Amino acid sequence: MLTNSIQLIPASRFTVEQLTAIYNQTRIDYLVPMPMNARRLQEYITAYDVSLEHSLVAMQGEDLLGVAMLGIRKNRTWITRLGVLPNIRRGGVGQALMTGLLENTARLGISFIMLEVIKNNIPAHQLFLKLGFREVGELLILRRPPVLTPTEPVIADAQRLEDDDARRLIRRGRGTMPWTNQSETFFNIQDVCGLTVTLPDDSRGWLVYQRQKFTLTRFAYQTESGNPVHVAQAFLSHLHSQYPRLDTHLENIQINDPHLPAFYAMGYVESFRRIEMWLGDPPPE
Ligand SMILES: CC(C)(COP(=O)(O)OP(=O)(O)OC[C@H]1O[C@@H](n2cnc3c(N)ncnc32)[C@H](O)[C@@H]1OP(=O)(O)O)[C@@H](O)C(=O)NCCC(=O)NCCS
């Protein structure tokens, strides 16, 4: 057991470059390769309200052994970026990091903790079950490559919105979304756009998304009335006819999302799945 000699240090005592390096070292053998650079890690920290003061690095002497980060929002926290160097796994470091984040959450007076784990990541899944997390759902990571044949927009009245006008669409009442897709994220990021659609049969809905240079990403959407599949067909067809050359990456779409058939019909494919796990109960909205 390593646990007697390890120290847990607040991640705020390290530079983002140091945190990026230790994160990447813990993920060299990861199921889905996701290397980070310092700029992307900083964007991640900002977008997802990660508190480095409440995040932890595990050390033994001068050596960095692992890392785990904590996102903090009203009445809830989120565990992310957990990793331990491959050569010292099964020595208790992962559990020590997790226990440290649970204690930091309790110290904040918060009793609801969320996380996601890639499906079939047995070590992490077992660790979370051991600490009392329960499975609450399954999430899809979807991708749509640009297509050569132009997308025909469905007949609908479509209105484009920018920045705060788009953000205003994301109101309450969306349920407990996975952390990445919660409303707060859209207030933390740049290049937010929106689209409202009204169909001839009066079905109505909206989509809010982030437009990056080569990629459309981070979707929030809702059907306000009518059939969700028809509403999604309308907003997706208008979106993709507007940006025919952009790739689209979506994460953490719930498998029971009623809009999904429209995504598949529009050429979205599944990349992989995550299991959503909670400890405690979500606060009322
Ligand atoms: C998941 C991870 C952080 C666990 O770290 P670790 O230091 O090896 O874990 P610990 O030694 O503290 O193990 C604690 C518990 O986790 C579970 N566990 C850890 N490794 C396991 C394995 N290979 N198989 C099954 N269960 C495992 C067990 O429940 C274990 O308790 P036990 O020792 O009483 O059986 C580590 O495997 C890792 O860095 N993996 C790659 C990155 C990753 O998957 N991160 C999580 C993303 S959600």
Side-chain angles (χ1 to χ4, degrees), residues 8-20 22-23 38 41-46 48-57 67-72 78 80-81 101 104 108:
L8 298 179
I9 314 283
S12 50
R13 304 232 190 115
F14 299 82
T15 63
V16 174
E17 284 74 15
Q18 286 174 309
L19 297 173
T20 308
I22 180 67
Y23 169 76
L41 183 58
Q42 183 56 59
E43 282 172 5
Y44 187 95
I45 289 167
T46 306
Y48 300 133
D49 297 299
V50 171
S51 165
L52 293 183
E53 290 74 25
H54 297 87
S55 300
L56 295 170
V57 172
V67 62
M69 295 193 180
L70 193 72
I72 307 176
W78 179 58
T80 185
R81 309 280 96 168
L101 295 188
N104 283 350
L108 290 162

Side-chain angles (χ1 to χ4, degrees), residues 82-97:
L82 167 69
V84 170
L85 293 180
N87 57 327
I88 54 128
R89 288 191 192 144
R90 298 241 65 170
V93 176
Q95 186 166 332
L97 281 164

Side-chain angles (χ1 to χ4, degrees), residues 26-27 30 82-84 89-95 116-117 121 123-124 126-128 130:
T26 66
R27 296 290 175 120
Y30 201 46
L82 167 69
V84 170
R89 288 191 192 144
R90 298 241 65 170
V93 176
Q95 186 166 332
E116 307 96 40
V117 53
N121 181 352
Q126 287 302 316
L127 170 59
F128 302 144
K130 182 177 177 185

